[in-house]
Amino acid sequence: MEGYKYMKILSAALIAGVLCAGCGKVAGDAIGAGDDGNDVGGTGADGRLELRLAPGFSKVAGDEFEAGDRIGVFMTYCASPDGIDGIAQLTETYLDNQAFTALNTGAGVLEWKSGDKLWWKDDSTPADFRCYYPYSEEATGKQMLNCGVSADQRTHKAFSESDILWGESLGVEPTAECVELMTSHRTGQVVVELVPGKGYDKTSLSAAVESLVLKGAVCGAVLNLASGELVAEGEVQDVQPCAEGLVFRALLPPQSIPEFEVSIVVAGLERSRKTALEIMSNKRLKCTITVDKVTEGVNVGIGGWEDYGEDFGGVLN
């Protein structure tokens, strides 16, 4: 696992996405698939502006998505911008869960492609954009999406796809300029770092650690595609985090956990620590565990979660 690039797990990271429109004036009033009348400048035969994703769309500041990643994009128009006698505004769905795939064009450059070419509706109506990751066909025609994180996040793929992202940009005027979407992690992150204590160095501790499991969390969730709210839903499961050396990372839906347990097996001996914990979207909690080798086994001291500023510490006998 060492050497993996954790593209979505930086603390308080914002993911900058860009929807890019080609040059030219808009004339049509309907969405269109690609036709042979499109010119190189990204306008259709009738002058409509093409919508496309810019190659620089990134997951996390300083890093990029990977080839093969897919996102879902929604584009809606407000049919009654000012409302009608207090009646809720009506919306017209223009793009409904449109899938875009990151493709490698060479030299490490990614480009986002959809199955068809897409266009602005007209040259005057503002549009709302929303996107999420990872893509699911089940989101089409829905506002609530059943999703969740993997209970086994030991592989890079499982860990990456457990990072649920969402973002929006509202009231965007038709333009030839790029439309920027700022998205955030809807999951929270727990980071457990093992530190060698008495009788261990990093090498010997790495060899002695047999497993680390997080207990008490719910992995299932429901994502509100309109607001970005992610709520945990389902049964409690044991979570196996992604390991990079002595650092273990897990992504979890927001939830209050009355009894959260870190269970570690070192040199054949199991030690654990339980505490109440609050998982919040786009927040990272870090727990540092010092492992001492002693005559009759292993003593494990646990410090507090750094982001909370409280001491949940103790020594396990």
Side-chain angles (χ1 to χ4, degrees), residues 93-113:
T93 300
Y94 203 60
L95 296 182
D96 185 4
N97 195 33
Q98 179 67 49
F100 284 84
T101 303
L103 302 177
N104 194 336
T105 61
V109 177
L110 295 180
E111 185 172 355
W112 290 90
K113 293 289 188 180

Side-chain angles (χ1 to χ4, degrees), residues 12 16 61 65 76 78 116 212 262 298 303 312:
F65 273 95
T76 59
C78 183
D116 298 319
L212 187 149
V262 180
V298 179
F312 298 103

Side-chain angles (χ1 to χ4, degrees), residues 130 143-144 166-168 186 223-230:
R130 294 178 176 86
Q143 180 173 321
M144 309 301 290
W166 181 91
E168 67 178 0
R186 307 321 298 153
L223 175 65
N224 187 320
L225 296 166
S227 68
E229 181 183 18
L230 184 69

Side-chain angles (χ1 to χ4, degrees), residues 102-226:
L103 302 177
N104 194 336
T105 61
V109 177
L110 295 180
E111 185 172 355
W112 290 90
K113 293 289 188 180
S114 64
D116 298 319
K117 289 188 177 180
L118 308 169
W119 314 94
W120 286 93
K121 174 184 177 180
D122 55 41
D123 62 355
S124 61
T125 308
D128 294 341
F129 292 89
R130 294 178 176 86
C131 70
Y132 73 97
Y133 170 91
Y135 176 81
S136 171
E137 293 181 356
E138 299 298 319
T140 304
K142 296 180 181 178
Q143 180 173 321
M144 309 301 290
L145 173 65
N146 291 320
C147 54
V149 304
S150 175
D152 186 349
Q153 299 181 24
R154 288 176 296 176
T155 68
H156 176 60
K157 183 175 186 294
F159 180 82
S160 177
E161 292 181 351
S162 293
D163 196 2
I164 300 171
L165 312 176
W166 181 91
E168 67 178 0
S169 186
L170 307 179
V172 180
E173 300 283 346
T175 177
E177 302 300 323
C178 291
V179 178
E180 185 173 292
L181 288 169
M182 295 300 294
T183 69
S184 63
H185 307 283
R186 307 321 298 153
T187 48
Q189 182 190 166
V190 174
V191 180
V192 178
E193 182 176 0
L194 303 184
V195 178
K198 296 178 182 178
Y200 280 120
D201 56 20
K202 286 187 176 181
T203 300
S204 59
L205 180 58
S206 295
V209 174
E210 299 175 17
S211 68
L212 187 149
V213 178
L214 307 178
K215 300 182 178 183
V218 171
C219 292
V222 176
L223 175 65
N224 187 320
L225 296 166

